[in-house]
Amino acid sequence: MKRVFVLLGALGLLLALLTGCAAPVPTPVPTPAPPPTPEPTPEPAAPPTLDAEKALPDMSGYVCPAAGENCLYVSAGAAGGDGTAERPFGTLTEARDAARSADKTQPLYVVAAPGLYELDETLVLTPEDSGVTWCAAADGVVLSGGRTLSGNWTQYDAEKNIWVIDAEGIDSRDLYINGQHRTLARSRKMTSLMFEGKTAFTTTSAWLGDIVEPSDVLVCIEGSWTTSYARVDRIERDGEGFRVVPREDAWSIYTLSPALADLGYLENDYSFLDTPGEWYLDVRASRIYYIPLEGEDMTAATAVLGVLERLVTLEGLKDDNVTGVTFTGFTFSYTTYMQPMKEGGIIQMQANVYLPAGTTVHSKWTADQWVASTYAFETRYTTDCTVSRCTFTQLGMGGLLMGRGSKSALVSRNVVADIAGTGIQLSLCTSLDNGSKSHSSSRVRHYTQNCTVSDNFITRVGTLYGGSVGIMVGYANACTVEYNTLVDLPYTGISVGWGWGSGANPENDMDDNVIRGNYINNIMNVKIDGGGIYTLGRMDGTRIYDNYVGKCNNEFGAIYLDNGSRGITVTNNAIYLAHRNFIYKGDYNTIRDNYASPGVSGQPDYNLIEYADPSDTTHYVFENNDLWDEARVLAIRDAAGVR
């Protein structure tokens, strides 16, 4: 049979040849090509290394401007004086009252001798006090909002090294020992937190059972860019743990989100007193308990309790401004800030601006009830007033506020250091403070405009309220922030503008502001979602240039144009060692020709662009912002800051 099959196969092949048809040949399967070798992922560019950081400015060299003629003299504690150099007044209030009837046809000076001036009340100047220069005769004139306690410290608990002194009937949140602010007793972090909506929370932290006065306790809420306080209503047993119910007046206006806030700690109870430098005031017994720092001799220690929240205020009227007043050479110290203990607590929104009790809002972003925290020196409705060569230090809240209706103010060559709140603020953040492009006479009187903040040294602000900023500009028009040095801050360096939204806001009149030549370094050390220079809202014609921003220590932007920012030009700035160089969320802005090192996070998106209208990017300019020329960067850095 095998032969038959062979024969038949041969005949088939012969037949195929005769008919011209070849037997089908299988198509060979091609060998697959090897996959392409992937390109190696480039290593993130290492940031260039610059020389050592710029030296901090020398702010010494104060000289009293008084020429010796037409002067009223003050010396702390003097009695029965008439304001002459030989028989000075003993208080600033006496000098103010005498100045009201003095000759002002030539420059009038109130000259304060070095010493500690413990103010019984805020020094209030009104339009009749216009045209006076208040000056320190030399360094060492301290205006104090506190009371020096006259008693002696005695040891109360030797095992815990707790000492006690009579509080002399004073209620305060701020104690200063040997001239330095101390920490109000605070708890450890709470464990196993569970939130019951916006009404309460539970915790398994057993130490809550030791709390002595629950109704005096505060809840500290550490937000991403805020620090808020709500007073406790009650603390209840809850199975193996505790249920903490904050007071409704504060808690109801706080939108608690785990992504944005964390319960930092509880504060203000004797049971929390466990760390050197902490203190507690038993208001009912009027006794202060304190654990000294290592090396502190309590038999010789000086204790000051903050009493006043404001030391000096210039209180003009919208149709009758305080005009031509100057303060120079003073040190402002030892204030307190009691709002956390009051109704509503302090529920911050941003930049140390908060919502008061009773606020009802559908959206916290659009509320119009924003309140600025207090400042040691405040003005409203003033023209041509100056604060220069003063020092703001050891304060329970902010330094200096040029508030509503401030025109042509100058804030120059001041030092702001080691204070609980914001350093310097221009204007406020309500619709009354927001100008209108129509420039109607009813609105213009409320404007803050043509003010200058220059050559100030600001460091270590926000020591208690971490959402505080170095310089805050609210609704202001044609103001200049220039040549300031801002270093070692918990949050934003310079914050400009207010109001969230699309950025259209056609009636906003925050136009023509200038932010230039500022040196900003080592910021965003505690909070996030801020920057070296941060903007909000429409501000046509505003320019940001010639600034140096170094060491922006989180993933947000060294220069950050946030929601609603519009009409701003950003150019010729130098950015070094920022996690992100730019964040751009605005509209109709120009960011070009800036010098920036690669983001230190090593991420390729060290510029974050979020267009307001992604479908139309023709009105955005973002180009040439990764230039690097070391000589040019150093030139910008060295020219920036206090001159």
Side-chain angles (χ1 to χ4, degrees), residues 116-439:
L116 178 67
Y117 294 74
E118 289 193 339
L119 305 183
D120 293 327
E121 59 185 7
T122 302
L123 178 66
V124 179
L125 304 184
T126 62
E128 64 180 320
D129 301 307
S130 295
V132 179
T133 294
W134 295 71
C135 54
D139 290 334
V141 180
V142 179
L143 304 190
S144 169
R147 297 289 179 275
T148 302
L149 301 180
S150 59
N152 296 317
W153 290 93
T154 58
Q155 195 169 59
Y156 176 78
D157 186 325
E159 181 180 353
K160 296 181 179 179
N161 196 25
I162 297 175
W163 292 66
V164 66
I165 194 172
D166 184 5
E168 302 176 10
I170 300 170
D171 190 6
S172 179
R173 278 179 50 81
D174 298 277
L175 174 68
Y176 304 87
I177 300 293
N178 297 330
Q180 301 295 311
H181 194 275
R182 294 295 184 252
T183 302
L184 190 59
R186 60 180 58 173
S187 73
R188 292 159 281 171
K189 295 277 286 187
M190 289 171 282
T191 56
S192 303
L193 284 169
M194 296 290 291
F195 294 98
E196 298 179 6
K198 299 179 184 178
T199 59
F201 62 89
T202 60
T203 175
T204 59
S205 296
W207 47 261
L208 270 74
D210 300 327
I211 291 176
V212 179
E213 295 288 351
S215 62
D216 290 346
V217 171
L218 297 174
V219 181
C220 175
I221 309 162
E222 292 285 7
S224 296
W225 56 84
T226 60
T227 301
S228 298
Y229 288 94
R231 196 162 178 174
V232 167
D233 181 65
R234 61 189 184 277
I235 298 175
E236 307 166 335
R237 280 283 182 183
D238 185 67
E240 297 298 318
F242 294 87
R243 183 170 182 265
V244 180
V245 183
R247 283 176 49 163
E248 173 68 14
D249 53 36
W251 202 249
S252 64
I253 60 174
Y254 190 83
T255 303
L256 190 63
S257 168
L260 296 180
D262 179 30
L263 290 178
Y265 49 84
L266 301 181
E267 182 182 86
N268 196 42
D269 191 74
Y270 180 85
S271 66
F272 303 153
L273 197 58
D274 58 8
T275 303
E278 286 189 340
W279 67 286
Y280 168 70
L281 170 58
D282 183 344
V283 177
R284 295 165 183 81
S286 192
R287 290 161 69 86
I288 297 171
Y289 300 89
Y290 174 67
I291 301 179
L293 296 174
E294 184 177 355
E296 275 185 337
D297 179 3
M298 297 311 297
T299 63
T302 299
V304 176
L305 268 180
V307 176
L308 301 180
E309 297 188 352
R310 300 170 177 88
L311 301 180
V312 177
T313 62
L314 277 55
E315 291 285 347
L317 304 172
K318 63 182 180 180
D319 297 315
D320 187 11
N321 286 189
V322 175
T323 302
V325 169
T326 293
F327 272 76
T328 184
F330 293 92
T331 294
F332 299 86
S333 295
Y334 310 133
T335 57
T336 191
Y337 183 61
M338 298 301 292
Q339 182 58 41
M341 299 296 296
K342 296 177 182 178
E343 182 183 7
I346 175 170
I347 305 302
Q348 290 190 343
M349 179 55 222
Q350 185 166 309
N352 212 13
V353 174
Y354 73 95
L355 288 169
T359 301
T360 302
V361 296
H362 298 291
S363 169
K364 63 183 179 181
W365 307 103
T366 58
D368 193 38
Q369 296 93 342
W370 308 115
V371 176
S373 302
T374 60
Y375 288 78
F377 191 109
E378 295 186 1
T379 76
R380 56 186 283 135
Y381 299 115
T382 62
T383 301
D384 294 324
C385 290
T386 296
V387 179
S388 69
R389 293 191 177 275
C390 292
T391 297
F392 298 83
T393 188
Q394 303 302 322
L395 297 171
M397 189 35 100
L400 185 153
L401 167 65
M402 291 292 186
R404 177 171 299 149
S406 296
K407 307 287 196 299
S408 303
L410 175 62
V411 180
S412 182
R413 301 202 67 80
N414 301 287
V415 175
V416 183
D418 300 303
I419 68 172
T422 288
I424 296 170
Q425 180 168 339
L426 291 181
S427 191
L428 301 176
C429 301
T430 74
S431 60
L432 188 60
D433 304 282
N434 183 13
S436 168
K437 291 188 189 300
S438 63
H439 299 294

Side-chain angles (χ1 to χ4, degrees), residues 515-553:
I515 314 299
R516 68 181 175 199
N518 299 284
Y519 176 87
I520 305 167
N521 192 59
N522 195 30
I523 57 169
M524 306 300 297
N525 286 306
V526 177
K527 300 297 184 180
I528 66 171
D529 208 354
I533 300 172
Y534 172 95
T535 68
L536 273 178
R538 180 172 180 169
M539 50 187 85
D540 296 341
T542 291
R543 295 173 294 152
I544 300 173
Y545 63 95
D546 293 353
N547 301 283
Y548 174 86
V549 181
K551 292 186 180 179
C552 186
N553 295 313

